[in-house]
Amino acid sequence: MKIDAAREVRTTCPYCGVGCGVLAKVAANGEVTVRGDPDHPANFGRLCSKGSALAETIDLDGRLLHPEIHGRRTDWDEALDLVASTFSRTIAEHGPDAVAFYVSGQLLTEDYYVANKLMKGFIGSANIDTNSRLCMASSVAGHRRAFGSDTVPGCYDDLELADLIVLVGSNLAWCHPVLYQRIAAAREKRPDMKVVLVDPRRTMTSDIADMHLAIAPDGDVALFTGLLAYLGQHNALDRTYITAHTTGFGQALFAASALDLAGIAAATGLGEDELVSFYSLFAATAKTVTVYSQGVNQSSSGTDKVNAIINCHLATGRVGKPGAGPFSVTGQPNAMGGREVGGLANMLAAHMEIENPEHRDRVQRFWSAPTVAEKPGLKAVEMFRAVADGRIKALWIMATNPVDSMPDADAVEAAIKACPFVVVSDVLAKTDTVRHAHVRLPAAAWGEKDGSVTNSERRISRQRAFLATPGEARADWWIIAEVAKRMGFAEAFSHASPADIFAEHAALSAFENDGARDFDIGAYGGVDAETYDALAPFQWPALSPGTPLWPAEGEMAGRPEGGAWRRPEVKSSRFFANGSFYTPDGRAKFIAIRPTAQTRASPEYPLVLNTGRVRDHWHTMTRTGKSPRLSQHLAEPFAEIHPADAQHFGIGDADIVRVSTEHGEVLVRALVTARQRRGSVFVPMHWTDQFSARARIDALVAPVTDAISGQPASKNVAARVERFAAAAFGFAVLAERPASIDADYWSLARCAAGWRLELALEADRDWPDFAASLFGADAPGETLAYHDVAGGHYRFARFAGSRLTGALYLAPSPVAVSRGWAVEQLSADHADRRGRLAIVAGRPGGNSVDRGAVVCSCFGVGANQIAEAVRGGCVSVEAIGATLHAGTNCGSCRAEIRTIIEARRLHAAE
Ligand code: SF4
C-alpha cells in the first residue's frame, strides 16, 4: 500500500472495544503524532492515556522482521511451504481435528474472515478459537439464549440518554475510559442522572457512582434474580411487553423467587437496605442501561449472569429503546468483528450456526467449499487440553500470547512446548509464546495494517495503514491466504486486498438472508477498493437497498431501527425496538435462573483472587510496555489487599507477597487498600516473564469454565497470600536493559532514558558482584559505591562521561529513594561531582522536587505535586488542571486526581 506521509490518516485505536477513531500523521522527519478523531462517533476526538501514547509504541525495537524456522532466518516461501505441508500432512494422517488455530481479537475482520474460512470451510474442522473466548463468550451465549442471535441491542448514545446506568463488573474508568468520560460528561450536564457500580472493588469508576455495591465474588446472579423477583413483587413489570414479545416469564420469575431478600443479601454480601435502594431505583427508572463486561463474563456462571440481567430488561420492556437496554462492552478492539466472521469455535461465519444444517449448507455453497465443519470445535481451554494430550498435533497461534493469558498458563506453556508443530504469527520476536514456536511468521503491526474492526456498539470502522511495513512483515490475511493456496485452495483464497475480503464477507452476510439474520451488511457486498478505502464508520445492519424486510421511511415494522444506507441521518441504530427477535417464534426468551452463591475460598486458600486490568497497560504489555509514559503509572505488578486481611496475614504496605493457588504462585508488591473487598485479593493480568520474575497471574487461574460459553472464570479463584521474607530490597535505574536479572523478585519498566527496576532477594549476596551482573563487570566509566555492611545498605552508580548509565540502591527494607527523581537522573547532566555523590546517596539535591508516583501520564504529573497544589488551594479537578495541566488531555487520571483531593481534604479535617 502506498503511504502518503503528508496526510493525516483516519484509523482506529488498537486497544479496547470502545473503538475510538484516531488521526495519525507522519512528519517529514518520520515523527508520528496521533490525536483523537473529532468526527468519529465513538469518541468525538477524545482518547484515553493508552490511545494518546500510541505514537510511543510503534518503534521497531524487538520486532520480528523475517520468517524463522527453528530460530533460523528463512524466506517466506520456505516458511509458508513448511506450514502448509505440515498442516496438510497432519490432516491427511490424523484428520482435520488434529490441527487448530488460536486467534485473537487483535486481528482485523479481514484476517479473521480468511482464517475462519480456511479452517471451517476448507480444512473441515471448527478448531479455530480466539482469545475473545476469554473476554466476552458469555455475552454471546446470553444474547443467543435470549434474543436468538448474538446482538448488542443498543448504542453509545444510550449511555448519554439514560437516567440510570448500572455498571456491573466493569471498571469503565480504566478499561473503557472514553465511555467513562462520555458518561461523566453527561452526568455533569444532567446531575439527576444516576450511576450504580456493582463491583467487589471500589475501583476508580466509583468516582462517578451514586451507589457502590461491593458485591461478593460471583454474587451477580443472585443480585439480578433478586431484582427480577422484586420487580414482580412491586408491580414494576411491563406486562404488555412481556405478553406481546416474550416467552418463559413465569418460569423465570418462579426460579428467581427461590431466595427472599435475606437470602439474596447473604448470597451477595450486601445489606438488605442496599439491595432495596438499588432495586427501587431500577424499578422507578424507565431509562436504564445496564453495562457489563469482564466481571460478568469471566465467571463459571457468566452466561447465567448475562441472562439474569437481560431478564430484568425484558421484564420492564427496556430493550432497544433510547437510553434503555442491556449493554455488553467488549474488552478487545475487534472482539465483535471476530464474532461476525465466526471466529469462535461454536459459530459459523456471518452469525450463522454450526449446528444448523441449513446454515452449514448455505455457507458451504457460498464459499464453494469442499466441506464445512459439522460440529463445534474446541473452545480455548479445551483446545489447549487437546494440545496437551496430543489430539492436536499442529497449532497456529496468531496475534496472541496464550502462555500468559490463558488460565492454568503453566500447563498451557507445557502443552505448547510439547506440541509437535507450533506456528506463531506475531509482531514481536520475543514474547513468552513466540519463544516456543517452531515457525515464526512476522506480522504487520498497528499503523501498518489495513482492514476493519467492529466496536462494542456494532460500529464498523476502517483501520488504515500510515506506516510502511518493515522488513519482511506481512498482513495476517496475506499469510493465511498464502498457506491456504499452498494447501491446494488457491481459487478460494485469491483475494488481492482487504477490500476484496470485506466485499466477500459483506456479501455472505446478505446471502439468502432477507431479514432472517441480524448481521447483514449487504450494502457493502462487492464494494470496490476506492469505496472501501473511503469507508466512514457505520453501524450494522447496513442492508442492501431493496431488502424486503425494510419498512418505508419512519415506520418501525422491521426488526432493526436505522441503517445507514436507507436513512443516512440516523447516526446510531438499535435492535429490537419493535419487540421482534431472532428466535423461531420472534419472541425474546426469559431464561429461568436460580440464585446461587459461589464461594470458592477454602481453609487452605482462604482468599478469593480476582484478576483484571490497570489503566495504562494493555493485555500482555507487548505494546504499552514500550511506552515510558504508560509504564510509569503502575510500574510493578501488585496485589491489592484489604487492610484487615493484610494485618491478619502479617503483610505491610510495599512488602513483597507470594500469592498462590492450587495452580501456581506469583511474587508481587503488596498494595494495602480499603478499596479492596475484605476476603479478596486483586492482581493485574499484564505482567509477563519479559517484565517480571514471576508475575504471570493466569498461571494461578484454574481452568474452570462456564458450562455454556466455555469462558474461563478468571475472577474467582481460591488463593492464599503470604509475606515474602526478603533479606534485601532494591531499586535501580539503567540506561540499557540488563541481559539477565538474578533476583527472586524483579520487575522492569521502561522510563524516559532507559529502565527502572524493582528488586527483592531472599538472601544477601555479594553486592558488588550483584551490581556487576546487572551493569556489566567490564563496562567502562566511573563507578561510585557506598557499602554499609553492618546496616545492610549498598549504593552504586556508574557514569559514562557526564551521563549516568546506572544506579542501584539496596537495603534491608523497601528502598525509600524517590523513583521519579532517580529516573530523571538518567537524562540529566552529571558533570558536577557533588551531583554524582547525591545520586549515590539517593537524595535529591536542594532544588529537586520529588513528584511522587505518576498520576497524569500525559503531562508527567505526580501525586506529590497534586497534593502540594491541593494544599495551595486547588480543591477541584479543574483547578488542578489549570495549575498543573494534569487531567486536561485524555482525562484518564481525573478520577485519581479527585481521590487525592478528597484524601487531602479528609486529612485536613482530622
Ligand atoms: Fe483506545 Fe482508550 Fe479509546 Fe479504548 S478508550 S479505544 S484504549 S483510546
Side-chain angles (χ1 to χ4, degrees):
M1 167 167 192
K2 191 171 173 300
I3 308 292
D4 179 358
R7 195 164 55 100
E8 204 168 36
V9 172
R10 262 176 218 284
T11 184
T12 47
C13 173
Y15 296 123
C16 82
V18 179
C20 295
V22 170
L23 293 173
K25 190 170 183 180
V26 188
N29 64 0
E31 191 187 338
V32 173
T33 50
V34 299
R35 65 186 178 105
D37 180 351
D39 298 324
H40 196 287
N43 57 319
F44 298 107
R46 297 176 179 94
L47 291 178
C48 74
S49 50
K50 292 185 284 288
S52 300
L54 274 167
E56 291 178 27
T57 67
I58 53 177
D59 63 39
L60 297 186
D61 185 26
R63 279 292 295 270
L64 179 64
L65 293 173
H66 307 281
E68 292 177 5
I69 297 175
H70 297 298
R72 166 182 62 84
R73 180 174 167 179
T74 184
D75 58 25
W76 272 108
D77 275 336
E78 188 187 4
L80 293 167
D81 284 346
L82 179 64
V83 175
S85 62
T86 309
F87 268 73
S88 294
R89 193 180 61 248
T90 307
I91 293 162
E93 289 175 4
H94 303 283
D97 290 335
V99 302
F101 295 167
Y102 185 61
V103 301
S104 164
Q106 304 286 314
L107 290 178
L108 304 184
T109 298
E110 292 75 5
D111 306 323
Y112 244 136
Y113 178 86
V114 176
N116 185 59
K117 180 177 176 182
L118 174 58
M119 182 54 81
K120 292 194 180 129
F122 290 79
I123 290 175
S125 167
N127 280 350
I128 171 170
D129 210 41
T130 160
N131 61 10
S132 297
R133 177 74 57 193
L134 319 179
C135 163
M136 50 69 213
S138 295
S139 284
V140 174
H143 289 155
R144 291 177 71 201
R145 285 207 300 186
F147 305 144
S149 57
D150 174 21
T151 316
V152 175
C155 55
Y156 293 162
D157 290 355
D158 291 331
L159 303 176
E160 286 148 346
L161 295 169
D163 294 325
L164 169 64
I165 294 180
V166 185
L167 300 167
V168 193
S170 180
N171 183 8
L172 222 59
W174 280 16
C175 303
H176 299 92
V178 165
L179 292 187
Y180 169 84
Q181 289 169 30
R182 284 183 67 163
I183 294 171
R187 209 165 156 274
E188 264 178 36
K189 278 193 205 138
R190 291 193 297 124
D192 287 345
M193 182 179 175
K194 295 275 184 281
V195 176
V196 175
L197 174 66
V198 182
D199 196 310
R201 295 191 299 146
R202 187 156 46 86
T203 62
M204 280 299 156
T205 304
S206 67
D207 186 52
I208 56 164
D210 300 277
M211 190 187 296
H212 171 218
L213 302 178
I215 194 165
D218 280 338
D220 315 71
V221 166
L223 181 70
F224 284 93
T225 49
L227 173 57
L228 184 64
Y230 180 95
L231 296 170
Q233 290 154 8
H234 292 80
N235 204 20
L237 301 168
D238 185 339
R239 295 249 176 222
T240 309
Y241 185 90
I242 292 169
T243 304
H245 302 300
T246 71
T247 57
F249 175 69
Q251 296 93 317
L253 186 62
F254 179 75
S257 305
L259 290 181
D260 61 10
L261 194 63
I264 298 291
T268 57
L270 300 170
E272 290 183 32
D273 51 342
E274 287 180 291
L275 289 170
V276 171
S277 297
F278 168 53
Y279 289 171
S280 57
L281 183 61
F282 188 102
T285 315
K287 284 189 167 185
T288 295
V289 175
T290 305
V291 176
Y292 53 94
S293 51
Q294 270 65 330
V296 165
N297 293 326
Q298 291 179 335
S299 162
S300 59
S301 57
T303 308
D304 277 352
K305 289 185 188 183
V306 170
N307 286 110
I309 291 168
I310 293 174
N311 280 352
C312 295
H313 279 267
L314 290 173
T316 47
R318 298 173 189 165
V319 179
K321 295 179 177 163
F327 204 147
S328 146
V329 289
T330 59
Q332 298 215 71
N334 201 28
M336 292 283 277
R339 283 146 78 163
E340 290 153 15
V341 302
L344 291 163
N346 53 323
M347 294 294 293
L348 265 184
H351 280 199
M352 283 182 266
E353 296 164 2
I354 289 187
E355 294 92 338
N356 185 322
E358 274 179 41
H359 289 190
R360 292 201 302 269
D361 173 64
R362 182 178 300 125
V363 172
Q364 186 173 1
R365 280 187 288 111
F366 181 85
W367 281 341
S368 300
T371 178
V372 73
E374 291 193 343
K375 60 180 192 312
L378 297 170
K379 299 179 182 123
V381 169
E382 299 165 337
M383 181 183 283
F384 284 99
R385 276 196 192 120
V387 174
D389 65 27
R391 279 175 288 154
I392 289 176
K393 300 169 196 321
L395 173 67
W396 187 350
I397 298 166
M398 304 178 200
T400 184
N401 199 357
V403 166
D404 297 316
S405 54
M406 281 293 295
D408 205 4
D410 285 347
V412 167
E413 180 170 34
I416 292 172
K417 277 164 86 171
C419 184
F421 189 64
V422 177
V423 183
V424 178
S425 325
D426 207 295
V427 162
L428 292 184
K430 203 174 164 200
T431 72
D432 293 350
T433 299
V434 170
R435 64 187 171 188
H436 301 305
H438 301 109
V439 180
R440 297 173 191 164
L441 303 176
W446 180 80
E448 301 151 14
K449 304 205 298 190
D450 200 36
S452 63
V453 291
T454 308
N455 73 3
S456 296
E457 61 162 354
R458 292 176 280 106
R459 193 176 298 281
I460 295 176
S461 299
R462 289 276 281 107
Q463 205 175 91
R464 296 181 174 90
F466 56 91
L467 297 167
T469 311
E472 294 180 86
R474 294 284 183 276
D476 286 284
W477 69 264
W478 181 91
I479 301 171
I480 300 158
E482 287 300 311
V483 169
K485 287 175 192 168
R486 285 163 167 83
M487 291 177 76
F489 311 125
E491 199 180 330
F493 292 87
S494 60
H495 314 94
S497 67
D500 273 2
I501 301 168
F502 188 83
E504 183 180 311
H505 163 55
L508 174 56
S509 76
F511 183 56
E512 298 175 0
N513 189 335
D514 293 334
R517 309 190 301 272
D518 63 337
F519 180 68
D520 187 339
I521 54 169
Y524 299 98
V527 70
D528 61 31
E530 204 178 324
T531 310
Y532 177 77
D533 193 39
L535 205 65
F538 71 95
Q539 268 187 304
W540 61 262
L543 309 184
S544 316
T547 303
L549 173 73
W550 280 89
E553 193 129 342
E555 288 180 13
M556 295 284 288
R559 282 177 175 140
E561 178 203 346
W565 70 269
R566 189 169 186 104
R567 292 163 52 189
E569 77 282 6
V570 176
K571 296 283 185 264
S572 296
S573 68
R574 295 176 188 86
F575 271 86
F576 311 137
N578 60 353
S580 182
F581 296 84
Y582 291 94
T583 50
D585 60 6
R587 290 163 175 264
K589 232 171 127 180
F590 280 94
I591 305 297
I593 299 164
R594 291 180 69 80
T596 51
Q598 294 179 321
T599 302
R600 297 204 189 279
S602 64
E604 197 182 347
Y605 295 102
L607 298 173
V608 169
L609 169 67
N610 175 8
T611 65
R613 294 182 177 157
V614 302
R615 191 190 77 187
D616 286 359
H617 278 308
W618 178 257
H619 280 194
T620 56
M621 290 165 56
T622 49
R623 178 176 293 279
T624 52
K626 283 172 164 254
S627 161
R629 244 195 308 169
L630 297 178
S631 300
Q632 295 313 297
H633 178 237
L634 290 166
E636 279 185 280
F638 59 88
E640 270 187 9
I641 183 164
H642 189 275
D645 288 331
Q647 190 181 25
H648 180 75
F649 294 108
I651 292 163
D653 204 20
D655 273 348
I656 302 298
V657 289
R658 178 182 282 114
V659 183
S660 43
T661 70
E662 278 184 351
H663 293 269
E665 62 175 49
V666 293
L667 288 178
V668 294
R669 185 78 65 177
L671 184 61
V672 178
T673 169
R675 287 180 165 269
Q676 179 57 270
R677 192 176 196 281
R678 205 170 166 186
S680 291
V681 58
F682 172 86
V683 180
M685 59 182 260
H686 309 287
W687 274 267
T688 69
D689 288 353
Q690 309 298 317
F691 291 97
S692 193
R694 237 187 304 168
R696 291 167 48 242
I697 193 62
D698 279 297
L700 276 62
V701 174
V704 170
T705 59
D706 179 276
I708 299 162
S709 70
Q711 178 155 0
S714 307
K715 293 183 173 289
N716 188 350
V717 185
R720 177 167 71 212
V721 180
E722 302 150 282
R723 183 170 175 272
F724 172 76
F729 293 83
F731 171 68
V733 290
L734 308 95
E736 302 290 337
R737 183 182 171 124
S740 65
I741 307 163
D742 180 19
D744 301 293
Y745 169 80
W746 60 262
S747 175
L748 199 57
R750 274 192 207 254
C751 58
W755 298 84
R756 55 181 279 188
L757 175 65
E758 300 284 348
L759 297 159
L761 299 101
E762 203 162 13
D764 282 342
R765 306 265 180 90
D766 179 320
W767 296 132
D769 271 5
F770 183 74
S773 74
L774 271 185
F775 300 106
D778 305 322
E782 181 194 3
T783 295
L784 299 176
Y786 163 81
H787 198 172
D788 168 6
V789 177
H793 293 268
Y794 180 75
R795 283 147 189 221
F796 171 100
R798 178 172 286 158
F799 300 87
S802 63
R803 226 181 106 241
L804 175 70
T805 56
L808 170 68
Y809 305 91
L810 291 157
S813 55
V815 172
V817 168
S818 161
R819 275 36 177 183
W821 168 81
V823 158
E824 282 168 9
Q825 301 319 301
L826 286 173
S827 328
D829 182 84
H830 298 287
D832 171 39
R833 179 148 185 92
R834 269 188 311 176
R836 294 179 183 217
L837 292 174
I839 288 175
V840 179
R843 270 187 231 109
N847 295 331
S848 303
V849 179
D850 177 8
R851 291 183 297 156
V854 171
V855 174
C856 172
S857 301
C858 297
F859 293 103
V861 179
N864 292 353
Q865 291 170 288
I866 294 167
E868 186 58 35
V870 177
R871 275 195 293 275
C874 296
V875 290
S876 68
V877 176
E878 290 67 30
I880 295 287
T883 306
L884 299 171
H885 299 300
T888 59
N889 184 38
C890 76
S892 301
C893 60
R894 290 170 70 87
E896 280 161 88
I897 294 171
R898 197 166 288 121
T899 304
I900 294 171
I901 294 170
E902 288 305 316
R904 294 297 327 166
R905 273 184 173 162
L906 283 174
H907 185 67
E910 280 169 1

